[in-house]
Amino acid sequence: MTTTPEPWGPVEPLEPALSVRRVLTLERVLAGEPEVVAGAAQLDRPVRWVHVAEAADVGVMLTGGEMVLTTGVLLAGDENAQAEYIRSLHRAEAAAVVLGLGRAFPTTPDVMRRAAERCGLPMVVLHRPFPFAELTEEVQSRLVRRKFAAVSLSEAVRTALTGLITAGAPLQRLLDEIAHHTGCPVVVTNLAHRVLATAGERPAVDDVLRDWERIARQAGGSEGDGWIRAELGGRGERWGQIMLCGYRGDTAGGRLLADRAAEALVLHRMLGGTSAHSWEEQSAQSLLTDLVSGVVPARQLLPRARAAGLPVNRRTFVPLVVRDGDPAQLERMLRLLGLPGLVAEFAEGAVAVLLSLARDQDADALAAHFATRLRTESGESRTVVAAADPRIVWDDVPTGLREAQHVADAVADSSAALDLPAVVRLRDVHLRGLIRLLRDDPHVQSFAERELDGLLCAGAGDDLLAVLRTYLASGRNKSRTAQLHHVSRPALYRRLEAIEARLGVDLDDFEQAASVHIALLAHDAQQA
């Protein structure tokens, strides 16, 4: 038996990225008495490298992110060169410039300060002599250590996730592990930003989903404040994205984790033979199952429904259950008819469809149109579409889904299915529907056992029970019952007499026959 490995141990977080602000807090730098004279609002710029340069045209040698250290010896006395020096660093996207005061500039040069302020380039002056080599060594060693730690983190996470996948871990297990080690909610969406799966602490996830419409609108924008995305896809095809929502660590580390997570999800999809569509179905199935079970209050599931793409504001909800339906076919039918809704396999042989309609739409007419088109497209005239009455309050949807399921169950084994309307409701299944709703009531159970005790006791066999079931379902038609059981009428009479003797009833008496019929319906409902 394949077992899923234990979660990997805590991953050592990356050191925060070196910024201009952090470099200025280093002990060696503090010894030089640094003073920020321009660009103070840009001190959080990341420092990619430290470069010591005295050349006036140093900007052409930079690639961006460098902190440039200089004494300005070649700039003294030439204000135009000083201003152009700052402008060239700005054009090269340098992180900052650090000027050591001394023989070339005993005080801060106003021309350079003003130019740096205009460009938004952090400019720092050092009031005490400072060996630039020490700062270069300190920063470069930190950068190298951080790069090595990033590589180690990448490999540790990739190895752990791959191990979970090859052990057969489900999608949710992967996402739970990712959420555990990122310390923030994780959301997987399709290209339409419809939420397919989530992970993380439930209150935090719910907070994200409550604001999902705004988040989805901004999903194409730049990352910030810990919102980190990675695309899902392969072979030139994009089919979704994974998002870390409010990651509190270093952005580069978060992006690394998001990339490793994306790789794992793509691999999981490939090895499992699943698709983005199947993830959508699993998401809908989880939501509808939670609604019906009542374990989670409906109101708490509202953010999930909204994030899954279901319109929920001022809507009419129509709960449907389709017997022997194909979820993919039902989704195609909804798209064809332009009806928003969720579709998922609900139970064995049943698919739930939750329609969300505008308040001014005719819910009954649209449900009937959907059922009629479904029968036509499937070519199956016995397709049963069970429905509950429309709900305009979200909190009533779970009851509606359960009612639709009861109706579908009530007609599942009914011989009268051909005579039912396109959309079957509780009123269409009459007594059978009522019994289905009451089947778990202990009083109903006791009644069924008491009425049928003579046939249910040990040794009675199922033959007489089957004959009784057919006889009552056919309206006590003896000829029809004999025909269906392939027996002669005299043989049928003997069996009916045996049934009456065992039960102590007269089946020719309407009230007694009705009582036995109700008991038999209750018994069958309980067995189902």
Side-chain angles (χ1 to χ4, degrees):
M1 181 177 66
T2 302
T3 58
T4 303
E6 292 299 314
W8 70 79
V11 177
E12 189 68 26
L14 292 177
E15 288 186 20
L18 272 180
S19 63
V20 176
R21 189 186 306 277
R22 286 201 69 227
V23 170
L24 297 181
T25 63
L26 297 178
E27 186 176 347
R28 293 183 180 181
V29 179
L30 291 174
E33 298 182 6
E35 178 189 0
V36 179
V37 297
Q42 303 295 323
L43 293 181
D44 290 320
R45 285 181 174 181
V47 175
R48 187 184 60 81
W49 207 245
V50 176
H51 195 68
V52 180
E54 299 293 351
D57 60 349
V58 65
V60 299
M61 296 180 285
L62 304 180
T63 58
E66 296 91 349
M67 175 179 277
V68 177
L69 312 180
T70 183
T71 62
V73 66
L74 299 181
L75 302 175
D78 189 340
E79 292 187 347
N80 289 333
Q82 294 169 21
E84 177 56 27
Y85 180 81
I86 295 296
R87 289 193 292 267
S88 69
L89 293 181
H90 171 66
R91 289 193 297 269
E93 298 182 347
V97 59
V98 178
L99 175 66
L101 300 180
R103 292 172 57 187
F105 291 103
T107 59
T108 304
D110 265 353
V111 171
M112 294 180 71
R113 183 187 58 77
R114 288 196 300 270
E117 195 64 56
R118 284 194 298 270
C119 294
L121 175 71
M123 179 175 176
V124 181
V125 296
L126 300 174
H127 290 279
R128 293 177 63 87
F130 182 86
F132 286 164
E134 290 186 9
L135 175 58
T136 302
E137 178 185 1
E138 173 79 10
V139 173
Q140 313 302 45
S141 64
R142 285 174 177 265
L143 291 172
V144 170
R145 285 200 306 270
R146 190 173 184 281
K147 186 172 183 179
F148 178 77
V151 173
S152 298
L153 171 65
S154 174
E155 289 307 308
V157 173
R158 177 186 284 118
T159 300
L161 288 176
T162 303
L164 288 172
I165 293 170
T166 54
L171 170 66
Q172 191 60 52
R173 176 67 185 278
L174 264 67
L175 294 179
D176 288 342
E177 292 300 322
I178 294 167
H180 174 68
H181 290 286
T182 58
C184 67
V186 175
V187 176
V188 177
T189 73
N190 62 10
L191 293 180
H193 307 302
R194 179 174 174 177
V195 174
L196 306 182
T198 62
E201 293 187 5
R202 197 71 254 167
V205 172
D206 287 344
D207 286 343
V208 169
L209 296 184
R210 267 190 287 273
D211 202 25
W212 186 251
E213 291 182 8
R214 179 187 64 80
I215 294 169
R217 286 196 300 271
Q218 298 176 353
S222 58
E223 296 176 345
D225 297 327
W227 297 86
I228 301 172
R229 299 180 306 277
E231 300 296 334
L232 301 175
R235 299 177 181 175
E237 175 194 12
R238 287 177 56 245
W239 45 269
Q241 68 175 3
I242 181 171
M243 181 181 290
L244 308 185
C245 305
Y247 179 70
R248 293 187 296 272
D250 173 66
T251 299
R255 189 171 294 113
L256 187 69
L257 288 172
D259 288 342
R260 295 296 82 81
E263 290 175 4
L265 295 187
V266 172
L267 180 62
H268 180 275
R269 176 186 172 188
M270 291 173 57
L271 293 181
T274 58
S275 63
H277 173 77
S278 69
W279 285 4
E280 291 182 23
E281 186 178 331
Q282 290 173 28
S283 174
Q285 184 178 43
S286 172
L287 174 59
L288 292 176
T289 300
D290 286 347
L291 272 172
V292 171
S293 70
V295 174
V296 182
R299 187 158 297 279
Q300 291 184 23
L301 296 172
L302 195 57
R304 283 174 60 187
R306 183 184 292 112
L310 187 74
V312 295
N313 294 331
R314 295 187 58 79
R315 307 291 288 187
T316 297
F317 303 101
V318 183
L320 306 173
V321 172
V322 182
R323 297 295 309 183
D324 301 320
D326 175 24
Q329 180 190 28
L330 294 175
E331 282 206 0
R332 286 194 300 270
M333 186 62 62
L334 290 184
R335 288 195 296 269
L336 179 66
L337 299 178
L339 299 176
L342 295 178
V343 177
E345 189 171 357
F346 201 46
E348 187 175 354
V351 178
V353 180
L354 179 60
L355 300 181
S356 174
L357 308 177
R359 291 282 176 87
D360 59 354
Q361 292 180 292
D362 189 332
D364 290 343
L366 286 174
H369 182 51
F370 168 77
T372 302
R373 286 291 299 271
L374 180 62
R375 284 188 175 185
T376 302
E377 295 289 334
S378 66
E380 179 53 70
S381 61
R382 291 181 62 89
T383 297
V384 173
V385 178
D389 291 334
R391 264 62 176 174
I392 61 172
V393 178
W394 174 256
D395 287 348
D396 294 338
V397 169
T399 303
L401 284 168
R402 288 192 288 270
E403 181 181 314
Q405 184 182 16
H406 283 307
V407 173
D409 288 343
V411 298
D413 56 353
S414 174
S415 60
L418 284 172
D419 302 324
L420 293 171
V423 178
V424 188
R425 302 183 186 278
L426 199 56
R427 60 179 175 268
D428 299 313
V429 292
H430 307 293
L431 180 61
R432 187 182 298 271
L434 175 63
I435 294 301
R436 283 277 178 167
L437 286 173
L438 299 176
R439 64 182 175 180
D440 294 327
D441 188 300
H443 297 293
V444 174
Q445 293 175 356
S446 297
F447 169 76
E449 292 171 1
R450 184 171 60 250
E451 290 290 302
L452 301 175
D453 181 61
L455 294 180
L456 298 179
C457 63
D462 296 329
D463 182 55
L464 294 180
L465 202 62
V467 170
L468 176 63
R469 185 180 291 109
T470 305
Y471 179 63
L472 295 174
S474 66
R476 296 186 292 174
N477 186 318
K478 294 183 175 65
S479 297
R480 180 62 175 160
T481 304
Q483 181 184 11
L484 291 174
H485 282 271
H486 308 289
V487 297
S488 65
R489 288 186 60 127
L492 175 65
Y493 295 155
R494 287 193 294 272
R495 295 184 187 186
L496 291 176
E497 290 171 359
I499 291 171
E500 290 179 326
R502 285 178 176 270
L503 298 182
V505 299
D506 178 4
L507 293 178
D508 288 330
D509 181 88
F510 176 78
E511 184 174 340
Q512 294 184 54
S515 181
V516 172
H517 194 187
I518 292 171
L520 186 57
L521 289 176
H523 169 73
D524 289 345
Q526 291 159 12
Q527 295 303 305

